[in-house]
Each structure stands twice: as structure tokens, then as C-alpha cells.
Amino acid sequence: MARAATTSDAFNAIAEPQRREILMLLRGGERSVTELARDLGMSQPQASKHLRVLREVGLVRVREAGKQRLYGLDARGLRPIHEWVGGFERFWNETFDRLDEYVRDLKQARQEEPPDDDDQ
């Protein structure tokens, strides 16, 4: 099966590490492309390209502020990712719960064992 285009959904968009870094920066509030490019150590055209991808999949919004365009996080676009990851969170919680139960059972079994002759 052919891979979906990078801009087709949030999963593919955030597969690129620099886009994830942009989202991390935008958690702190709106930023201009110039600020993002500077903070990420990339050119303004590179930052603009990443922002375009993030906008197209609904992870970033843009608003005009005078002569600047400010980009902000639109976390609603992360819902499919959050829901998908949530399934793994449940898996790990259940796994750790079973491990806790196993460890409790082991401790209880050791406390109930009669002492060895060597222990006396």
C-alpha cells in the first residue's frame, strides 16, 4: 500500500521531528515564522514550509497582526493522535497493574513460606 502524502493527516505531519519542535514552541503561545525559524536554527522558507503542512492538517492556525502573520497551536487537530495513543496508555496501565499484582502475590507467597532449615 502506498504511503499517504505528508500533508494528508496529523500522524504523517508530526512524523517530521522539526514539525514536532514547532508544535512544542507553539504551546507557549503564538509566534511569527521569523521567531520560529530563529529558535529552530532553520531558514525562514524551511519554517514556512513546515508551518504550511501543519496548517493544512489543522494543527496550526494563523492570524494577521499588522504586517506579521502569527502562528498558534490548534490542539484540536491532535485529537486523533491523542485517541490512538490513549489505547496504548490503557495497554500499559493494564500491564503494570498485572505486574503489581504479580509482585504482591510473590511477596505474599514468600511471607507464607516456612523458614528453611538453614535459616535457623
Side-chain angles (χ1 to χ4, degrees), residues 33-97:
V33 67
T34 305
E35 290 174 297
L36 290 167
R38 180 194 64 227
D39 292 347
L40 295 169
M42 66 176 63
S43 70
Q44 189 169 337
Q46 285 176 307
S48 292
K49 181 178 177 183
H50 288 306
L51 286 165
R52 179 185 51 78
V53 170
L54 293 169
R55 260 191 356 261
E56 288 176 357
V57 299
L59 296 175
V60 169
R61 66 187 181 314
V62 63
R63 74 176 178 92
E64 303 290 329
K67 293 183 180 183
Q68 276 191 327
R69 297 181 81 180
L70 296 177
Y71 295 86
L73 178 64
D74 189 349
R76 293 175 299 179
L78 292 170
R79 180 172 296 282
I81 294 165
H82 176 74
E83 290 171 354
W84 183 76
V85 170
F88 291 97
E89 182 179 3
R90 285 186 295 279
F91 166 79
W92 283 111
N93 286 337
E94 291 169 4
T95 300
F96 289 132
D97 288 347

Side-chain angles (χ1 to χ4, degrees), residues 6-44:
T6 302
T7 59
S8 66
D9 64 28
F11 289 94
N12 285 319
I14 67 167
E16 212 294 318
Q18 290 179 314
R19 292 189 196 122
R20 291 192 305 270
E21 288 181 45
I22 289 171
L23 294 176
M24 296 290 286
L25 288 172
L26 293 177
R27 285 190 333 190
E30 292 180 327
R31 313 273 293 266
S32 70
V33 67
T34 305
E35 290 174 297
L36 290 167
R38 180 194 64 227
D39 292 347
L40 295 169
M42 66 176 63
S43 70
Q44 189 169 337

